[in-house]
Amino acid sequence: MTGRIVIVGGVAAGASAAAKARRTNEQAEIVVLESGPYMSYANCGLPYYLGGEIASRDALFVANPTRFHEYFRVDVRLNTKALSISANERKVEFVGADGVTGTLAYDRLILATGTVPIVPPISGLDGANVHYCRTVPDADAIMERLSHLLPREMEGGHFLNVKDAGFQALIIGGGYIGLECAEQFMRRGFRTTVVETQDQLMGSLDQEIAHPVQLELQDAGAIVVLNDSVASIEPMGNRSTAVLKSGRKVTFDIAVVGTGVRPNVQLAKSAGLSLGETGAIAVDAWQRTSDPAIFAAGDNCEAVFLPTGKPVNVPLAGPANKQGRIAGQNAALDLLGAKRDDPRRLAMRGVLGTAIVRVGKVVAGGTGLTGKMAKRAGIDVCSAYVIGPNHAGYYPDAKLMLLKLLYAPDSGRLLGAQAVGQDGVDKRLDVLATAIQGEMTVEDLEQLDLCYAPPFGSAKDVAVMAGFVAANAWRGTSPGASPLTVFAEMSGERPPFLVDVRTRREFEEGCLEAAVNIPLDEFRDRLAEIPTDRPVVLQCGTGYRSYVAQRILLNNGWTDVRNLYGGYGLSKRICSMVSGKLPL
Ligand SMILES: Cc1cc2nc3c(=O)[nH]c(=O)nc-3n(C[C@H](O)[C@H](O)[C@H](O)COP(=O)(O)OP(=O)(O)OC[C@H]3O[C@@H](n4cnc5c(N)ncnc54)[C@H](O)[C@@H]3O)c2cc1C
């Protein structure tokens, strides 16, 4: 059986689906309908193009219809929008580049329609200098606006970045894309303000992981406004003024809206397809929708969240490409007459939502479950924190990172990881994503055999170290406590006795108010000062010396002794984040 595969959407999932379908089935007719003027371009690269880090616009294009036809004999129709689907007749109604409507019959249909932006209720949002950053035409519009502000270099014609020219950028929304745009406008020399409705940037991460990103932005001169939102935008000559809900005003030359996306399910609805509980298109592991002749792939559909087994909608490029590949293969196999259990069938196992962002020198990201997600879903988790270097501490330019692990209290299975630091955050997140996907436990993590030479890592890599710490806690040989837990206990009925085992000098330079200083060097001689009838929490700079002290106490008969994760460094950060001062 041969026939026609129609794919709606020609960027990440759609282009992957088309290429895979052709590699699977040489006979099928494959048609891609794409409503925009470009196919298969790097929307992930757009912010870097805006800031000039990606100098060439051409670099954004991964493929074009001519190349796609040459390589794959796929008929890509740009500026062609699918309007509706008649699932009974297996037909798509579309309007072409010439404005003429038509219908196209299909044997298999793949919906790769991506997302639509969430448009915040702001009056004046349609102003000339307010933009989205989602597509190449969006980026072109921003560059056009920049061309009225920035000078150009003589040769090459690229924009020259300016310093202190007084240009101002407003970023509405402090998620990944907003922050990538903020970084790039700052690179261009714009005074940048980020307005975010939540009490933290990067709402998809736990607050203590996201907070350094905010500090980095502020250190670089950005204004970060949290717990507030833009209510209206008023033009002011070539500039505009945003009035925030709080009454605060922000004048800007250019604004970018990055307030999130939702799955584009309009066509799916027209075909009567089932949507899942997330509002995205429900699919099985083979990317098949509730109609066996229609597949869906990418940001518009659900996937299984591996840590919980529940459906999620995660709009990220990695899953979109994989789902497209799977849908393409399975649709093409259908047309070859393959049975449902044909071994060539591909199936999507699930997603972790692994994501990362760089802002200036700081890199932050996560994979799998976060503390916030666990709390929302009522899932009982343990967390462990580790601070360690990206490579051997004695090798030049070692940079510390903070790693947070979440694992199941009963089995020790890894459920999530987040990290913030500079170099090497990406590598640890990828190792941990692999470990989580492989259903590894904290004890598996401590056994990982990772590459090591001083420029690249440590003999005890920070990811493995996180395994040591979490596994020690899980086995009960070194119970730990997060700063937030300890802070809460300090004002509770049975406040723990807090011992700081750093040197006197370190202690004098800054300490938690309630802490008693017993340096590790003197620890064994001063055990009598530590009560046996109260919980004890030990703390040092990052958690290692306090672990040694903890083992001394536990080996000497104390029973309720915990190590403060992340030590003074993390506690201080969390205090400044939570209340602006140390509550202890
Ligand atoms: C600025 C930016 C930066 C990003 N950075 C990252 C990153 O660093 N890492 C990461 O993992 N992800 C990132 N993403 C997300 C990633 O780009 C998306 O997850 C991915 O592109 C989704 O692919 P998709 O094919 O599902 O949807 P899309 O890429 O959105 O493609 C859907 C296409 O369908 C077309 N379409 C919709 N309806 C119709 C219709 N009725 N008829 C015809 N065509 C239609 C649209 O025009 C669109 O071109 C970023 C996204 C943006 C915008």
Side-chain angles (χ1 to χ4, degrees):
M1 172 188 173
T2 57
R4 183 187 289 149
I5 300 173
V6 175
I7 301 171
V8 183
V11 184
S16 292
K20 187 66 176 172
R22 172 57 74 225
R23 293 195 297 270
T24 307
N25 183 333
E26 188 60 20
Q27 282 76 45
E29 184 188 351
I30 305 173
V31 183
V32 175
L33 308 180
E34 167 53 56
S35 58
Y38 305 102
M39 70 168 300
S40 191
Y41 60 85
N43 32 19
C44 307
L46 296 177
Y48 305 94
Y49 168 61
L50 298 180
E53 253 186 270
I54 295 176
S56 158
R57 184 178 180 277
D58 291 346
L60 297 171
F61 298 100
V62 183
N64 59 49
T66 309
R67 160 98 70 90
F68 231 63
H69 190 260
E70 285 165 1
Y71 271 37
F72 301 115
R73 291 291 183 272
V74 169
D75 172 10
V76 180
R77 304 184 193 175
L78 298 179
N79 298 306
T80 302
K81 181 169 182 171
L83 300 173
S84 65
I85 297 163
S86 167
N88 290 340
E89 296 174 280
R90 293 196 177 172
K91 277 185 182 155
V92 182
E93 188 193 1
F94 65 90
V95 54
D98 51 8
V100 176
T101 55
T103 54
L104 195 59
Y106 63 83
D107 295 288
R108 289 294 178 269
L109 177 68
I110 301 176
L111 296 179
T113 49
T115 53
V116 287
I118 295 173
V119 180
I122 301 171
S123 66
L125 197 66
D126 52 357
N129 48 3
V130 182
H131 299 267
Y132 289 85
C133 176
R134 293 172 34 80
T135 61
V136 172
D138 289 344
D140 288 342
I142 295 174
M143 291 303 250
E144 158 67 14
R145 174 76 185 139
L146 292 185
S147 73
H148 296 292
L149 302 171
L150 298 175
R152 284 180 188 268
E153 64 184 14
M154 292 294 281
E155 280 176 33
H158 295 303
F159 295 134
L160 291 167
N161 298 336
V162 289
K163 270 219 161 94
D164 307 325
F167 296 134
Q168 302 216 38
L170 169 66
I171 307 295
I172 305 174
Y176 284 88
I177 294 174
L179 295 188
E180 285 175 356
C181 290
E183 184 196 44
Q184 295 300 321
F185 280 115
M186 290 168 79
R187 188 183 144 87
R188 289 280 187 209
F190 281 60
R191 184 83 196 275
T192 301
T193 303
V194 181
V195 178
E196 165 59 51
T197 49
Q198 295 185 42
D199 61 356
Q200 67 166 90
L201 299 178
M202 312 261 304
S204 56
L205 296 177
D206 288 338
Q207 204 176 3
E208 67 275 25
I209 302 293
H211 192 57
V213 174
Q214 178 186 334
L215 297 181
E216 174 73 4
L217 271 174
Q218 288 168 326
D219 277 357
I223 299 167
V224 177
V225 183
L226 300 176
N227 297 307
D228 208 347
S229 56
V230 177
S232 64
I233 292 174
E234 291 155 15
M236 236 184 53
N238 283 336
R239 307 182 108 190
S240 296
T241 297
V243 183
L244 310 193
K245 229 172 162 183
S246 60
R248 187 174 178 157
K249 291 187 175 173
V250 182
T251 299
F252 62 88
D253 298 276
I254 190 159
V256 174
V257 183
T259 44
V261 291
R262 57 185 168 76
N264 183 359
V265 294
Q266 199 195 341
L267 276 180
K269 279 184 177 167
S270 79
L273 302 181
S274 301
L275 302 185
E277 60 189 68
T278 67
I281 303 171
V283 287
D284 62 15
W286 296 270
Q287 298 301 134
R288 215 183 281 271
T289 67
S290 52
D291 180 330
I294 305 179
F295 294 78
D299 286 1
N300 63 1
C301 69
E302 292 189 331
V304 173
F305 190 50
L306 291 168
T308 61
K310 296 253 164 39
V312 283
N313 173 240
V314 175
L316 287 170
N321 278 285
K322 283 185 211 89
Q323 290 169 332
R325 180 172 175 269
I326 291 168
Q329 168 106 338
N330 290 333
L333 283 174
D334 280 1
L335 296 198
L336 290 175
K339 296 215 167 67
R340 281 184 163 246
D341 60 355
D342 187 293
R344 291 169 295 173
R345 295 261 178 216
L346 297 179
M348 184 78 187
R349 291 186 187 167
V351 296
L352 291 171
T354 310
I356 190 163
V357 72
R358 181 202 70 192
V359 175
K361 294 188 295 298
V362 173
V363 178
T367 178
L369 206 65
T370 62
K372 286 197 293 189
M373 284 182 205
K375 198 171 171 189
R376 269 200 305 270
I379 300 171
D380 194 16
V381 289
C382 290
S383 50
Y385 297 82
V386 160
I387 295 176
N390 63 316
H391 59 230
Y394 58 82
Y395 186 84
D397 288 332
K399 300 282 190 304
L400 289 178
M401 75 181 76
L402 167 67
L403 230 160
K404 177 179 184 180
L405 284 187
L406 268 79
Y407 59 95
D410 50 353
S411 61
R413 184 182 150 192
L414 293 166
L415 298 173
Q418 294 165 76
V420 58
Q422 298 186 17
D423 298 342
V425 166
D426 53 341
K427 168 169 148 173
R428 274 57 186 212
L429 286 175
D430 281 344
V431 165
L432 288 160
T434 309
I436 295 168
Q437 187 148 351
E439 299 190 11
M440 289 170 63
T441 66
V442 289
E443 288 194 312
D444 295 323
L445 188 60
E446 68 178 348
Q447 297 285 344
L448 282 189
D449 186 7
L450 303 179
C451 62
Y452 162 59
F456 305 106
S458 306
K460 287 184 239 171
D461 187 85
V462 58
V464 176
M465 187 65 81
F468 293 160
V469 170
N472 281 342
W474 184 69
R475 286 186 291 256
T477 51
S478 174
S482 80
L484 281 171
T485 307
V486 175
F487 296 164
E489 287 173 359
M490 291 312 282
S491 47
E493 277 181 7
R494 238 180 133 228
F497 186 73
L498 182 62
V499 187
D500 186 331
V501 302
R502 293 177 302 156
T503 62
R504 285 166 203 277
R505 191 164 164 194
E506 285 174 284
F507 188 76
E508 277 157 19
E509 280 170 3
C511 63
L512 300 176
E513 227 171 271
V516 174
N517 184 216
I518 307 180
L520 184 60
D521 298 352
E522 307 166 18
F523 201 74
R524 285 186 176 84
D525 302 326
R526 295 177 56 186
L527 292 184
E529 295 174 39
I530 302 170
T532 49
D533 58 350
R534 262 174 80 179
V536 177
V537 171
L538 295 158
Q539 174 235 312
C540 65
T542 58
Y544 177 67
R545 283 172 289 175
S546 48
Y547 165 49
V548 176
Q550 181 187 35
R551 289 305 313 157
I552 294 172
L553 284 187
L554 290 171
N555 288 336
N556 278 285
W558 274 259
T559 50
D560 190 351
V561 186
R562 285 168 299 158
N563 188 8
L564 186 68
Y565 286 136
Y568 179 64
L570 181 61
S571 300
K572 195 171 138 192
R573 180 190 302 163
I574 289 181
C575 288
S576 71
M577 186 180 93
V578 171
S579 64
K581 65 185 180 67
L582 304 183
L584 293 177

